Amino acid sequence: MQRFFIADIHLNDNEPVITTGFLQFIDSLPAYSELYILGDLFDYWIGDDELTPLHQQIASALCHLRQRNVTVYFVHGNRDFLLAQRFAQACQMQLLPDINLINNQQSKLLILHGDLLCTDDQDYQKFRKKMHNRWLQKLFLSLPLFLRRKIATKLRGESQQHNYRKSERIMDVNQQAVVEMIQQYQADMMIHGHTHKPAIHIFNVNAKEVKRMVLGAWHDGINYIHQSAEETLEFFQLPIDIDPPA
C-alpha cells in the first residue's frame, strides 16, 4: 500500500495556480493508494453550507479518486477545522481525529496537523481551545453566511497582525511537546504540517532514533511525503507548474 501525505494547501479563489497544481497532483496518484490531507486544505472554512464553485470543483475531483480505489483521509487544520461530515461525504473522504497512529509492519507513524505541538504560543492555544468549543461552533454555524464571512475575514486579519509580532521560535513546535507525544504513542516517526517549515528532523527519544518530517505549504510548490509499499518515507518538493510523478 502506497501512502501520500500533504498539508497546508490553502486552496482559495485568489491563487488558481495552487488549485491547478493540487488537481494535477491528485490526478497523478496511483490506483489503490491512500491520500492523507493533514489540515488546511482550504485557506478558510466557514461551514459546509457555503458550497462555492471552488468547493464543488475540489469535491468532484476528490470523489473521482474512488474510481481508482484511492482512499482519502482528512485531519482538520487550524484554517478548516469547521469542515464537517457533509462536505467530507461529497468528497468521499474520511474524517480522522486530530492525532492518528498508523501501525506499519515495521514501525509506528504518528500523523497530525501540527498546531497542537506549538505549545509556546500560549495565546494561540487558548484561541484554539475556544474555537473548538462545540457550543461556540454551533452558534457560529447558525449565523447567516454573510456574517460568518465578515467574522472570518476579521479573525484572519487579526491573526496576521498577531503573527507578525510573534517570533518564529514561539510559532514553531516545542521539542518537549514533540517528545512527549512520541512517547505517549510509542511512535517511531511523525509527520505534520502547520509551521510551513519543511524539514526532516532526526533525534533520539529514550535511546531510540526517531524522525519528524514537516510538510511545507503549497504557496512554495507541490509538497508531499510518499510512503512506499516497503514503508520507506520520501520527501518531495516540486515547482507547482511541473506534473508530480505517478
Side-chain angles (χ1 to χ4, degrees):
M1 173 65 71
Q2 296 187 68
R3 296 188 177 107
F4 295 83
F5 302 88
I6 59 176
D8 302 294
I9 302 91
H10 292 281
L11 295 170
N12 65 86
D13 289 321
N14 298 321
E15 297 181 89
V17 173
I18 296 179
T19 301
T20 300
F22 177 73
L23 294 174
Q24 290 176 347
F25 171 77
I26 63 173
D27 188 55
S28 74
L29 295 175
Y32 298 96
S33 61
E34 295 179 344
L35 173 64
Y36 289 81
I37 304 172
L38 304 185
D40 288 0
L41 173 61
F42 294 95
D43 201 34
Y44 69 95
W45 193 264
I46 60 172
D48 287 10
D49 55 333
E50 186 190 47
L51 201 58
T52 68
L54 174 62
H55 298 161
Q56 294 175 350
Q57 182 183 24
I58 298 304
S60 176
L62 289 173
C63 188
H64 285 160
L65 290 177
R66 296 298 297 173
Q67 297 177 4
R68 304 204 311 274
N69 293 292
V70 177
T71 306
V72 183
Y73 300 95
F74 180 82
V75 176
H76 291 99
N78 59 295
R79 296 292 190 95
D80 50 19
F81 61 90
L82 288 175
L83 193 152
Q85 196 63 47
R86 176 176 168 183
F87 186 72
Q89 289 178 348
C91 298
Q92 288 292 293
M93 67 182 181
Q94 300 181 36
L95 299 180
L96 295 179
D98 289 338
I99 305 171
N100 303 269
L101 185 66
I102 299 176
N103 287 297
N104 298 311
Q105 291 184 349
Q106 303 174 17
S107 61
K108 294 181 179 180
L109 173 61
L110 197 61
I111 59 172
L112 65 160
H113 178 58
D115 55 337
L116 285 170
L117 299 168
C118 301
T119 55
D120 290 331
D121 193 345
Q122 297 182 10
D123 289 340
Y124 169 74
Q125 294 300 332
K126 291 177 182 177
F127 176 78
R128 185 187 188 280
K129 184 177 181 180
K130 183 187 299 183
M131 291 298 102
H132 280 71
N133 181 286
R134 291 188 178 183
W135 289 107
L136 186 59
Q137 290 182 3
K138 187 175 181 179
L139 175 61
F140 177 78
L141 293 172
S142 69
L143 299 173
L145 271 173
F146 81 91
L147 189 54
R148 276 181 268 162
R149 292 192 192 100
K150 285 187 176 181
I151 294 174
T153 300
K154 182 175 182 295
L155 289 175
R156 288 204 310 276
E158 291 177 351
S159 176
Q160 290 174 352
Q161 291 180 4
H162 291 160
N163 290 342
Y164 181 77
R165 295 193 295 266
K166 293 176 183 177
S167 68
E168 290 191 9
R169 181 191 63 81
I170 289 178
M171 292 190 294
D172 203 353
V173 304
N174 177 285
Q175 180 62 16
Q176 185 59 34
V178 171
V179 170
E180 289 176 357
M181 188 174 291
I182 287 175
Q183 288 176 324
Q184 178 183 352
Y185 290 89
Q186 300 181 353
D188 303 289
M189 297 173 290
M190 173 186 285
I191 296 177
H192 70 83
H194 180 65
T195 62
H196 298 187
K197 294 181 179 180
I200 299 175
H201 304 273
I202 300 175
F203 51 97
N204 290 328
V205 176
N206 296 334
K208 180 181 71 174
E209 184 177 277
V210 297
K211 182 184 294 184
R212 178 170 67 93
M213 304 181 76
V214 187
L215 290 157
W218 281 45
H219 301 296
D220 304 316
I222 296 170
N223 192 291
Y224 67 98
I225 292 171
H226 172 241
Q227 184 181 37
S228 68
E230 293 75 29
E231 300 185 13
T232 301
L233 289 168
E234 291 186 90
F235 201 112
F236 291 90
Q237 291 179 282
L238 304 170
I240 207 149
D241 58 346
I242 293 180
D243 291 342

